[in-house]
Amino acid sequence: QVQLVESGGGLVQPGGSLRLSCAASGIIFSFYDMSWYRQGPGKERELVARITNGGSTDYADSVKGRFTISTDNVENTANLQMSSLKPEDTAVYYCNVEKRVSSRTITYWGQGTQVTVSS
């Protein structure tokens, strides 16, 4: 059974930092592309950052220079280091892994962790 479990969310003041983690079980992490998505109040889910199984990274324009995505393939975990947080970063953050097998896309989601940026 595949499980992705996020942790590290919470309440932080504007300008502060948080580190989100995603622990994976039931899969070999290094075979997958890994992404962090978020869904703010009244908003659609959006891609925040992605790291491919080859190590290439991509970020939403709104978080470039502030967020850093990384993976630890030995520990089967992924992290999102968030700094200079803004109120508009408030959202539920989800980790996602994905890989393509022939014509199929295999994807798994975590349950989400709440990040609230407020003074």
Side-chain angles (χ1 to χ4, degrees), residues 19-22 29 34 36 68-72 77-81:
R19 183 180 178 87
L20 304 183
S21 294
C22 175
F29 213 68
M34 189 278 162
W36 285 95
T68 302
I69 189 171
S70 62
T71 56
D72 184 331
T77 59
N79 299 297
L80 185 69
Q81 179 67 46

Side-chain angles (χ1 to χ4, degrees), residues 41-117:
K43 298 180 181 180
E44 294 186 355
R45 190 173 296 190
E46 62 174 352
L47 177 66
V48 175
R50 171 172 288 146
I51 183 166
T52 69
N53 61 2
S56 299
T57 58
D58 191 24
Y59 297 91
D61 288 343
S62 59
V63 307
K64 280 181 182 176
R66 300 189 298 122
F67 290 13
T68 302
I69 189 171
S70 62
T71 56
D72 184 331
N73 291 331
V74 174
E75 297 293 329
N76 239 26
T77 59
N79 299 297
L80 185 69
Q81 179 67 46
M82 307 185 295
S83 59
S84 303
L85 283 161
K86 305 175 181 180
E88 51 264 43
D89 295 317
T90 295
V92 178
Y93 284 71
Y94 299 89
C95 68
N96 166 270
V97 294
E98 185 176 285
K99 71 172 181 178
R100 288 176 177 78
V101 180
S102 299
S103 60
R104 293 190 305 127
T105 297
I106 299 172
T107 188
Y108 300 102
W109 291 90
Q111 83 288 351
T113 186
Q114 176 70 47
V115 171
T116 302
V117 184

